[in-house]
Amino acid sequence: MNTSVLTPFLIVSGAGVLALLLGVLPARRAARMLPTATGIVALVAAIIMSRVQWGGPDETALASNYLSDRFTLLLDSILAVIGIAVLLLAWRESSSADKRGEYAGLILLSVAGMMLVAAAGTTIVLFLGIELFSVSLYILCALETWRSRSLEAGLKYLIVGAVGSGILVYGLALLYGATGTTVLSEMQHALIDGDMLRDPLPIAALTMIVVGLGFKASAVPFHMWTPDVYDGAPTPITAFMATGTKVAAFAAFIRLFSDSLLGMFDDWRLPVAILAAVTVIIGNIAALLQPGMKRMLAYSGVAQAGYLLIGIAAGSVAGVEAVLYYLLAYTAMTMAAFAVVVMREREVLDGDQIGALRGIGRSRPMMGVVLTLAMLSLAGFPPLAGFIGKFMLFGAAVDADLTWLAIVGAVGSMISLGYYLKVVAVAWQSGPPVDDTTYRTPRSVTIVAVVSAAAIVLVALFADPLLTLCSDAAQGLIGTINR
Amino acid sequence: MGEQIAFGLTAAGIVGCALLVVLLKNAFQAAVALIGTLVSVAILFVLQHAPFVAFVQIIVYAGAIVTLFLFVLAYLGERALSDPDRLEHFEVFSWITILVITAMGAIVMFTTALPNFHTVPETTEDIGSPTALGFAFLREHLLPFEATSLVLLVGAVGAVVLAKRAVMAEGGR
């Protein structure tokens, strides 16, 4: 047993606890700076450790509760990058003024929970990881306690999240009943050996797991909470939910569906495909009707979850590879979009409305370019990262005999042009720019915006090595199945 | 045979008391009904030859946790729901959900080929003694054990962060 493979998780969770402690230091300046600084250092360390372990043999630690394969390491790095970006976005955020320690600490513990989901070797760890990041997010959503919208978002997320978790844990319990094991890699064999593949018990379990994870990934019809919670939460936290939760939810999907439940592929292929199709259509149509930037991005996030589900429905290495690559691209473009919203929201009243972005491209070309890149990539314009990701996803669907699903995805992307291009048009519109206050945006927000925009281009430019990376991670997963 | 009768009675106790918890209008009575469910679960543990877990279940859950519930209820006092009619339109959805889940459970129970499900199960090895529990916690399930502590830490931090502000809003410090 090699516990050193847990290092990325241990660093981040330890730093989370440390940040909570540093937040109560008597010196005001130290209490403000140190938690965020600790968090960034720890997340960088976690990325370095993931890089060091990359290429080593796949390991299981702590009685196969923790899997350290390339899938885990790749997702650990993505999650750590998301964590750094969110900590930077939250720099000088009003809600964190006197709650620095809690703010940074909960973000770190949330990232640790997401890492646990990615590394889960048993259903227990999978569920605990989901709970760890969900509970942290319920609190983070409600952190701006003087705003009733923020409290509402926290409460709504808590209730809906609890329902989703309840259904998920019910499904996992039924799955345990059917297989007699909680170890993900043994479930496949247990189902085959016990001749349980066509039994109603695992099918009932499957249904509940799809519904439970559907809540977490905000797939239609379990997406109702998404716009309200995204709208009400502090914007850096919204950015965190849009990127981190999605990565973690799809990590859980991949661990369960491309690994343990692959034997039941024929049973879940069609339901997941239908879920994906409905999510793409409803998400895109609803996004057309939103006046607020945060609500629009929430529905666009729902639609993006639909595209990712297409890759899951393909149930192949190519599908998982495409999901991983698209998660990379999605993280970069969503983070860039939210960085602009964070900046705008602090500068002007009603800054989260699309109208508040009018003329930003003319008055500040850099932000205009960032926003344009993010929107074009989300819409899937070639040659940006979003296009390559969607191309891979739809291609995997076609290879898996789901051509109709690829067509639905393509139609959804066309609908999405309607709202993504509207934002681009507004940003480059001439006319008087919305009144600029003298508020100076912290440099950290600008850095996140520019780096994310650069990442959109780089992820496309270096698509080849990155796809090899994703394919390695996906292959590693298939490797654990055969073991 | 005797064990099956005992199991049937306990299971009926769990489901019956759980229904009471949901259906009783008075929150205080519902919390008391919860004791019935928790004690019945404790009896199930005894049937599994796990007396230690059974007593932990009674002391921690039926004892401490329900006492906390009752304390909070008594502290808040009887508060009428502000607008009970608003939610009545949605009651039909909860009934649909209940029917679907019940139907699913019934179908699964009557058709599953799970071994030991329709026959008398074999006795298991020692799973409930303090020794077995200690090994389970600190060897087999060490990571879940520690992860749970993190979840509880987050919960405690959240309660303090959110409640502190509430106290200030009500004119506290």
Side-chain angles (χ1 to χ4, degrees):
Chain A
M1 189 171 78
N2 181 6
T3 40
S4 66
V5 296
L6 272 94
T7 325
F9 167 71
L10 291 179
I11 292 176
V12 177
S13 53
V17 178
L18 187 64
L20 285 174
L21 285 174
L22 290 172
V24 293
L25 280 179
R28 262 185 94 76
R29 218 182 141 70
R32 281 196 177 190
M33 302 290 203
L34 281 180
T36 308
T38 316
I40 290 173
V41 170
L43 289 167
V44 170
I47 296 173
I48 294 172
M49 281 315 293
S50 308
R51 182 70 197 81
V52 169
Q53 288 175 9
W54 183 270
D58 295 353
E59 303 234 23
T60 59
L62 298 177
S64 58
N65 275 306
Y66 190 96
L67 293 179
S68 175
D69 47 22
R70 291 175 187 204
F71 179 75
T72 306
L73 294 174
L74 177 65
L75 287 187
D76 278 358
S77 315
I78 301 179
L79 289 168
V81 171
I82 292 174
I84 294 173
V86 173
L87 284 174
L88 288 175
L89 282 185
W91 191 250
R92 281 212 258 150
E93 175 76 354
S94 50
S95 62
S96 59
D98 58 339
K99 289 188 244 182
R100 267 285 171 217
E102 288 90 339
Y103 209 98
L106 289 175
I107 287 174
L108 287 169
L109 286 172
S110 193
V111 171
M114 292 164 182
M115 287 179 163
L116 214 49
V117 176
T122 59
T123 48
I124 306 177
V125 174
L126 188 86
F127 180 70
L128 280 171
I130 289 179
E131 281 308 277
L132 183 53
F133 81 71
S134 300
V135 175
S136 311
L137 281 173
Y138 304 151
I139 302 160
L140 286 168
C141 282
L143 212 56
E144 292 187 351
T145 33
W146 61 91
R147 245 177 0 108
S148 64
R149 296 284 295 281
S150 170
L151 288 175
E152 184 196 329
L155 191 62
K156 220 170 234 175
Y157 195 23
L158 170 69
I159 293 171
V160 179
V163 171
S165 297
I167 295 174
L168 176 65
V169 78
Y170 201 161
L172 293 176
L174 291 183
L175 194 61
Y176 173 64
T179 57
T181 176
T182 55
V183 181
L184 293 177
S185 55
E186 287 171 11
M187 284 186 165
Q188 175 98 318
H189 291 295
L191 283 173
I192 295 168
D193 293 346
D195 199 19
M196 294 292 284
L197 282 179
R198 312 285 320 165
D199 197 81
L201 183 60
I203 293 176
L206 190 68
T207 316
M208 300 193 113
I209 291 171
V210 171
V211 173
L213 289 179
F215 271 108
K216 298 294 169 194
S218 52
V220 176
F222 315 111
H223 68 293
M224 298 305 185
W225 58 274
T226 316
D228 287 351
V229 174
Y230 277 30
D231 197 19
T235 311
I237 301 305
T238 311
F240 187 37
M241 278 192 284
T243 51
T245 312
K246 207 129 296 184
V247 172
F250 278 92
F253 256 115
I254 292 172
R255 279 272 179 227
L256 280 167
F257 285 77
S258 312
D259 192 340
S260 323
L261 297 173
L262 199 59
M264 296 173 69
F265 181 52
D266 293 335
D267 289 315
W268 59 257
R269 189 170 87 123
L270 194 61
V272 173
I274 292 173
L275 195 68
V278 175
T279 307
V280 167
I281 297 293
I282 305 267
N284 276 318
I285 291 176
L288 276 177
L289 310 170
Q290 304 305 321
M293 194 68 188
K294 274 165 92 177
R295 286 187 88 85
M296 189 274 269
L297 283 172
Y299 275 111
S300 121
V302 171
Q304 306 284 339
Y307 301 135
L308 288 161
L309 277 173
I310 293 177
I312 303 282
S316 56
V317 181
V320 175
E321 181 190 335
V323 169
L324 288 174
Y325 180 81
Y326 199 70
L327 280 175
L328 272 173
Y330 171 79
T331 302
M333 50 212 193
T334 309
M335 206 51 96
F338 272 109
V340 177
V341 178
V342 168
M343 193 188 72
R344 213 53 197 153
E345 201 179 39
R346 293 190 197 172
E347 285 170 356
V348 294
L349 211 62
D350 291 329
D352 62 338
Q353 297 299 305
I354 293 176
L357 296 166
R358 196 174 69 228
I360 194 175
R362 286 165 187 266
S363 55
R364 267 178 297 182
M366 184 133 84
M367 286 300 129
V369 169
V370 168
L371 192 66
T372 309
L373 275 175
M375 289 299 136
L376 291 183
S377 182
L378 278 166
F381 260 81
L384 294 170
F387 168 74
I388 301 174
K390 272 183 191 164
F391 188 78
M392 305 282 304
L393 284 170
F394 299 165
V398 171
D399 286 341
D401 275 342
L402 285 169
T403 312
W404 65 271
L405 189 56
I407 295 172
V408 170
V411 170
S413 306
M414 279 178 222
I415 301 175
S416 74
L417 290 178
Y419 54 92
Y420 289 132
L421 290 186
K422 188 169 86 186
V423 175
V424 176
V426 168
W428 295 98
Q429 221 169 41
S430 59
V434 180
D435 54 320
D436 272 336
T437 54
T438 46
Y439 182 86
R440 207 170 55 84
T441 311
R443 197 160 291 150
S444 62
V445 178
T446 320
I447 291 174
V448 173
V450 172
V451 171
S452 306
I456 297 172
V457 179
L458 290 178
V459 168
L461 218 54
F462 294 99
D464 204 38
L466 282 175
L467 278 171
T468 321
L469 218 71
C470 296
S471 151
D472 272 1
Q475 298 279 2
L477 214 59
I478 305 299
T480 29
I481 294 177
N482 293 337
R483 194 181 301 148
Chain B
M1 191 62 199
E3 194 185 335
Q4 270 167 316
I5 296 172
F7 175 79
L9 286 176
T10 330
I14 294 177
V15 176
C17 290
L19 278 175
L20 280 181
V21 175
V22 181
L23 295 175
L24 282 175
K25 293 277 181 217
N26 185 325
F28 210 83
Q29 291 172 352
V32 174
L34 188 61
I35 299 179
T37 307
L38 297 170
V39 170
S40 306
V41 172
I43 299 174
L44 272 193
F45 280 125
V46 174
L47 290 176
Q48 296 280 327
H49 293 290
F52 178 73
V53 189
F55 279 99
V56 169
Q57 166 83 11
I58 289 183
I59 294 167
V60 174
Y61 284 90
I65 305 259
V66 173
T67 312
L68 270 179
F69 283 175
L70 291 175
F71 178 77
V72 170
L73 286 171
Y75 180 72
L76 292 176
E78 294 248 340
R79 282 190 194 179
L81 287 174
S82 51
D83 194 1
D85 289 336
R86 263 178 62 196
L87 291 175
E88 253 172 32
H89 309 293
F90 300 100
E91 219 168 61
V92 60
F93 290 105
S94 57
W95 283 110
I96 291 173
T97 316
I98 291 167
L99 282 178
V100 168
I101 291 184
T102 315
M104 195 174 85
I107 292 170
V108 168
M109 267 211 292
F110 287 114
T111 54
T112 182
L114 193 68
N116 295 335
F117 197 79
H118 296 291
T119 53
V120 181
E122 300 147 29
T123 44
T124 53
E125 73 262 46
D126 175 25
I127 53 163
S129 71
T131 324
L133 279 180
F135 276 118
F137 268 147
L138 295 176
R139 192 165 284 172
E140 203 182 326
H141 298 298
L142 179 62
L143 185 63
F145 185 63
E146 295 297 337
T148 311
S149 67
L150 281 179
V151 177
L152 291 176
L153 172 72
V154 168
V157 170
V160 172
V161 171
L162 298 179
K164 195 170 85 182
R165 180 61 69 164
V167 169
M168 284 160 85
E170 280 168 24
R173 280 144 291 152

